[in-house]
Amino acid sequence: MKHLQRHLLVLLLALLPGVASFAGEAADSLYIFRFVQGKDAFYAPWRDNSAQLEALLTLLRAHREAILSGSIPVRVDGYCTGQAPDEENRRMAAVRSNRVKSELIGRAGVTEACFVTANHAVEYAEGVRNVVTVTLCIPADINETKEDLPDAADTDLRVVQQEQKVVQQEQKAVQQEQKAVQQEQNAVQQAQKPARQAKSEAATPEQPTPTCRKEQSLSLRTNLLYDAFLLPTLGVEWRISHSIGLKLDGSFSWWDGNHGKVQKVWLVNPEVRWYLLRDRRFYVGVSGSYGEYNIYKYLPGKLLKGDTGYQGKLWNAGVTLGYQLSLSRSFSLDFNLGLGYTRSAYDSFGMTDGVRIHRQQGGTKNFAGPTQAGISLVWTIGSNK
């Protein structure tokens, strides 16, 4: 919308002189002063500012009495973009407008009351965004006496005519650009219509609303609960889509202590997850585990029978329920609990004077219940959430 308003303003400025002359009422004189990007100083020798300034001063001096009386208003418009936010653009445009007005007040003998000032946070024309324009609306009866002006005024009129030609050329370019934009918008609308129709037909109440997560992501994780039991755990999860993730955790400890204390465990835990609901934070999964253990009096050995150690293998399979709580763009906490079937084959032993004494060989244990539990810290690499 701002782009269209800017082009309409250029069109209006270009058409005003011709319309006014045709109606026999008034003719506009337009002067353009250019500024360096990001700076508010007025450099008269820069670009064609010097010629514009001299021509404008000549015209102001020639009509100074009419300007001071208010018969000829002097409009000053500042245009600035490229700053952030828009308030900064308008502030810069206002400072530049004041720089130009100060030059005119000091050299042409006019006053601040002679000016009508407006500042805009838009481009003046396509690619022209750091300018201050000065426009004089000269009544036709005054303009008809221009033959009596000195040669400097004639030079000023020629400069104005050249500026009007430039504006007319810019106007044609704007019209061509608007036509191309309109054609592009029509093409986009035509291309989107079949897609919208197909989406409407395919939509169902269960269809999830897309989230800002990318199609694929990779995350690293550690199970803080297992870490607390001196069983360091490291895992990785690959989200192959919004709804499906593949996870693999590995746990390993190799601790020895006094009086035969030992905790040597390794465990792998693969899992396939399906993420559910709108935000894709709840999930269900299918998981399994396999590993070997040799534990005596270390955690979790202290949770087992008094002065007995166990050495053997285990495997399990079951389902997992979980929820991921977002902490930031890259980090989250993963709470999960697994339920299923576990089988363990083991030998039990005790310790006498630092020597293992076997108590049971070839023992087995089968039970249905919890297969895993976790409170995991998750780091999503590249912040793909």
Side-chain angles (χ1 to χ4, degrees), residues 78 89-99 101 117 119:
N89 288 315
R90 279 188 283 271
R91 186 200 68 79
M92 179 70 78
V95 173
R96 292 169 173 174
S97 297
N98 290 335
R99 295 279 194 266
K101 289 191 293 183
T117 307
N119 298 291

Side-chain angles (χ1 to χ4, degrees), residues 206-226:
E206 293 77 18
Q207 183 176 3
T209 301
T211 65
C212 59
R213 185 185 292 274
K214 293 183 180 180
E215 281 292 333
Q216 297 183 352
S217 64
L218 185 68
S219 60
L220 298 179
R221 52 197 297 114
T222 182
N223 191 332
L224 303 178
L225 188 59
Y226 285 16

